[in-house]
């Protein structure tokens, strides 16, 4: 599920995107099928990017653990478990979303990312 808004709640306070920007929130469920735990909000277990119709790639905002509803920093998602995760991006107000790309972060193996069409 993808939503857009002018503000988000970070650490209990409202944060504005700015005059020419919007926040895009992508709600997901992450299942840990790896052999070890992963920290969804304070490390890099999942490479991801929000991509618009111009091919521009946007990174998530900093401090995803401060987004209401997200796992806490260092809350290790153990193998075989799943958790809800909100990925939040700040993008230009006129940006037209095209896709979301993600893959497991792995230093030893090149991973082919999964691409989800958002149209």
């Amino acid at each position: 599920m993808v939503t857009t808004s002018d503000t988000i709640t970070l650490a209990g306070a409202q944060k504005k995107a700015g005059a020419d920007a919007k926040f895009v929130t992508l709600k997901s469920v992450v299942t840990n099928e790896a052999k070890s735990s992963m920290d969804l909000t304070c490390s890099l277990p999942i490479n991801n990017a929000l991509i618009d119709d111009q091919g521009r790639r946007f990174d998530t905002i900093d401090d995803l653990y401060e987004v209401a509803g997200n796992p806490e920093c260092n809350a290790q998602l153990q193998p075989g478990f799943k958790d809800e995760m909100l990925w939040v991006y700040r993008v230009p107000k006129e940006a037209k979303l095209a896709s979301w790309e993600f893959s497991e972060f792995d230093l030893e193996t090149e991973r082919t990312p999964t691409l989800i069409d958002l149209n």
Side-chain angles (χ1 to χ4, degrees):
M1 176 163 130
V2 178
T3 58
T4 61
S5 63
D6 294 329
T7 62
I8 57 169
T9 303
L10 279 180
Q14 290 292 309
K15 180 176 180 172
K16 294 182 180 184
D20 297 327
K22 63 185 174 183
F23 288 113
V24 176
T25 302
L26 191 140
K27 183 177 181 179
S28 69
V29 174
V30 177
T31 302
N32 185 352
E33 295 177 353
K35 299 226 183 258
S36 61
S37 65
M38 62 173 60
D39 180 358
L40 295 175
T41 57
C42 288
S43 66
L44 187 63
I46 300 174
N47 291 320
N48 67 89
L50 186 66
I51 304 167
D52 72 3
D53 64 346
Q54 298 177 43
R56 298 182 294 184
R57 302 170 63 82
F58 299 96
D59 300 324
T60 59
I61 62 169
D62 291 334
D63 304 326
L64 286 174
Y65 64 91
E66 291 185 345
V67 174
N70 269 352
E72 294 179 11
C73 186
N74 296 321
Q76 300 297 321
L77 181 61
Q78 299 299 314
F81 287 91
K82 61 185 175 183
D83 205 349
E84 288 188 359
M85 180 68 190
L86 298 174
W87 308 94
V88 181
Y89 305 83
R90 184 176 175 267
V91 302
K93 193 163 254 183
E94 83 285 348
K96 291 183 172 79
L97 307 178
S99 56
W100 185 57
E101 179 183 272
F102 68 94
S103 65
E104 181 182 353
F105 180 73
D106 189 338
L107 290 173
E108 298 174 11
T109 307
E110 183 75 23
R111 300 281 181 171
T112 301
T114 299
L115 196 63
I116 297 177
D117 187 349
L118 298 177
N119 292 313

